[in-house]
Amino acid sequence: MALMHVRKVIELTRMPHAPMLIVACSSGVVYRNVVGGASRYVEGLEGILAPVLFDDEPNSRIRRVEYPEGRGISSAQRRDLDGIFASLLSSQFLRVDEDRLQDSCEGWIWVRVDTPVATVRDPASKYLGPVYGLGPTTGVLTWRSSP
Amino acid sequence: MKKRILLWDIPHTIFVVLECESGVVYQNQVGGVVCWRGQQEGALLPFDVPESFVSALQQLPFPQGIQGITVEVADAVDALLQRESSTRTVRCDRARLQESWEAWIYVRVGTPPMSEYNPDGVPASLAYGFGGAGVLTWINSD
């Protein structure tokens, strides 16, 4: 993880068990986690941290997906994860980034994030995610990885 | 316009919004039934605490309908923060009790400078490089 220009770091290795979203952007803050199960990859991304509302059941479904050892996930895991995201109103703005399957691993999944450009909530909108003001962008869904 | 993150549906845990110029404002609905809009620019630091911690916070006797918390409530919040190893460096900011609300308490957080950060080691702290000011927030009781 390059730290040349980083001014601030937040450590996620002791985060709560629910997955959280790091939206990539220039914020001056890098969120760091150790992921990939026994591989213990140190990953970091500059951006914004946002909680995503996953109840216990989808939360454990995300964890129970059969992730391969090491780096990289397959199309099968992508489909499983996208199915979970699509099943909840609160996470329908997420889908796995097909271009970054090989950069993803257990606890660190690259996603495409489709958020409103507006910074205020539109009562008529069906969007129920927590992030406003970025438009379509990318990020990482991360959680506390099990070694 | 700054980007915005709504914390209305946060899980049963606690967060500190560490004050800094990040370009993102974190917003929560706080103050019990008043549903005051708390907002702070910064970075989000999540804590892994048991649900009983959040329940204990929610049961404290916050003044209803008005801004400000009492010294007694601040003492009780500090006692809870001392109970968990991950939150021991967080303390109510006694100079900002009158700006605080239920579910929105201004705090001071011990965060070492970046010069002490070792990316390859096991970090001793959950946050590095911040000024120490922040807001403790959790799900509102309304």
Side-chain angles (χ1 to χ4, degrees):
Chain A
M1 179 175 60
L3 283 169
M4 298 290 284
H5 71 292
V6 173
R7 302 184 300 275
K8 298 173 177 63
V9 170
I10 287 186
E11 182 67 24
L12 296 176
T13 45
R14 284 172 275 170
M15 67 185 284
H17 286 276
M20 295 183 73
L21 176 67
I22 309 167
V23 186
C25 70
S26 174
S27 67
V29 181
V30 164
Y31 291 91
R32 174 197 184 269
N33 204 354
V34 178
V35 294
S39 300
R40 301 196 53 78
Y41 300 122
V42 177
E43 295 284 2
L45 180 66
E46 182 178 0
I48 294 168
L49 187 69
V52 182
L53 183 62
F54 290 115
D55 293 332
D56 289 346
E57 197 270 335
N59 179 352
S60 63
R61 277 170 63 203
I62 290 171
R63 292 170 169 283
R64 282 203 312 268
V65 169
E66 290 191 17
Y67 300 97
E69 281 294 317
R71 208 180 288 277
I73 65 169
S74 70
S75 296
Q77 283 112 35
R78 176 187 62 77
R79 277 194 302 274
D80 288 347
L81 288 165
D82 279 344
I84 299 167
F85 299 157
S87 69
L88 297 166
L89 289 173
S90 57
S91 58
Q92 284 177 352
F93 70 107
L94 298 176
R95 64 192 167 93
V96 176
D97 188 339
E98 290 180 53
D99 295 334
R100 304 206 64 175
L101 296 184
Q102 293 313 307
D103 299 325
S104 297
C105 62
E106 191 253 328
W108 191 263
I109 304 293
W110 281 91
V111 290
R112 293 189 180 163
V113 183
D114 192 8
T115 75
V117 175
T119 57
V120 292
R121 197 174 208 167
D122 175 1
S125 169
K126 291 181 180 169
Y127 173 76
L128 289 175
V131 183
Y132 287 79
L134 283 117
T137 184
T138 60
V140 165
L141 190 73
T142 191
W143 60 89
R144 199 196 279 205
S145 180
S146 48
Chain B
M1 291 289 276
K2 294 187 193 304
K3 304 161 199 74
R4 188 167 294 268
I5 306 290
L6 301 185
L7 298 174
W8 300 346
D9 295 323
I10 52 182
H12 283 275
T13 189
I14 62 170
F15 296 92
V16 167
V17 181
L18 289 165
E19 293 183 19
C20 67
E21 292 181 7
S22 63
V24 59
V25 170
Y26 288 91
Q27 178 183 325
N28 199 4
Q29 208 163 261
V30 300
V33 294
V34 174
C35 293
W36 185 75
R37 182 190 295 178
Q39 41 191 352
Q40 176 63 54
E41 182 177 2
L44 195 64
L45 174 59
F47 291 96
D48 184 26
V49 294
E51 280 194 35
S52 59
F53 188 106
V54 182
S55 302
L57 277 174
Q58 288 177 323
Q59 286 164 16
L60 292 175
F62 291 98
Q64 285 298 301
I66 53 169
Q67 192 172 19
I69 63 169
T70 62
V71 170
E72 289 74 23
V73 166
D75 288 344
V77 171
D78 280 348
L80 280 169
L81 292 167
Q82 284 299 299
R83 229 168 56 180
E84 298 292 326
S85 59
S86 62
T87 56
R88 275 188 199 136
T89 61
V90 184
R91 298 258 197 295
C92 292
D93 187 342
R94 302 294 167 140
R96 303 184 74 182
L97 297 186
Q98 291 313 307
E99 298 171 53
S100 299
W101 293 85
E102 176 185 343
W104 193 260
I105 297 179
Y106 289 93
V107 291
R108 301 292 305 175
V109 185
T111 72
M114 276 300 286
S115 58
E116 293 182 20
Y117 181 64
N118 174 8
D120 301 319
V122 178
S125 175
L126 295 178
Y128 288 82
F130 293 87
V135 182
L136 175 68
T137 192
W138 62 93
I139 194 160
N140 195 30
S141 68
D142 72 305

